[in-house]
Amino acid sequence: LVIDAAGTVRDVNPAFEALVGRAYGQLVGTSFTALLPREEARLAHNLAAALARDGGTMTAEFRLRAADGTARWVEASASRAPGAGAGGRGAPAYCVLVRDVDREARRLAALAADLAHDSATGAASLETLRTRAVRAFLPGGRSGETALVVLE
C-alpha cells in the first residue's frame, strides 16, 4: 500500500485488494481514512502526523473496513517510500505494510474476557481473588484463620 502525504491511496497490491474486498480502481485515489471505521480515523491522522514529523517507521494495530462493512484488525507498519521526497525529487509518499491480525486479535479479546470473569459464577475473577484475599489476610476477616494462597 502506498499513500501520499495527503493520505490518498496511490498504489495497492492484490493482497490488500483481497483484504478489503475492493478492486484496484476502487482504492487508488481514495482517502485511506475512508477505509477505516470512523473511530479509527483520528488514530490514523495522529500516526501520519507523527510519521511526517519524526520519520522512521511507525507501527500500529487498528481496524480496516472491508467493502461488505465488516471491520478486520490489521497491523500496519509505515515508513517513507524509498526516494519519495528525498532531495526535492517527488512528493513525499509512504509505504505501508499491512498484515491481517484479525484472528489473533479476536482470540486475545476472548482470552481477556475469559480471564476477567469466572465462568461458573459470572463474577469478575480479579475481584473475586481480591475479595478472598482481603477476607483471608486482614484482621476481622471471615474466619480469622491463617490462609495460604497459591497462584499458578
Side-chain angles (χ1 to χ4, degrees):
L1 171 65
V2 177
I3 300 172
D4 67 17
T8 303
V9 175
R10 293 297 172 202
D11 195 18
V12 296
N13 65 14
F16 188 80
E17 291 177 52
L19 180 65
V20 296
R22 291 182 172 95
Y24 184 88
Q26 296 173 307
L27 293 166
V28 173
T30 63
S31 170
F32 179 70
T33 57
L35 302 172
L36 303 175
R38 181 171 287 143
E39 58 274 11
E40 304 280 340
R42 184 175 268 321
L43 170 67
H45 284 292
N46 291 343
L47 289 172
L51 184 60
R53 181 185 65 242
D54 303 333
T57 299
M58 297 280 178
T59 301
E61 283 190 14
F62 53 86
R63 293 172 299 146
L64 277 179
R65 190 175 53 233
D68 64 5
T70 60
R72 298 191 61 80
W73 283 99
V74 297
E75 177 186 80
S77 295
S79 57
R80 187 178 292 268
R89 298 186 320 259
Y94 301 94
C95 181
V96 184
L97 302 175
V98 180
R99 186 171 71 92
D100 184 353
V101 295
D102 194 68
R103 183 178 301 157
E104 293 92 349
R106 291 182 191 277
R107 190 173 25 226
L108 285 173
L111 177 61
D114 287 347
L115 291 174
H117 293 87
D118 183 316
S119 60
T121 65
S125 295
L126 294 176
E127 181 61 21
T128 300
L129 178 60
R130 186 193 70 75
T131 300
R132 289 179 182 163
V134 166
R135 287 181 182 161
F137 295 115
L138 292 181
R142 182 186 290 181
S143 66
E145 298 174 5
T146 302
L148 172 66
V149 175
V150 178
L151 300 175
E152 292 184 24

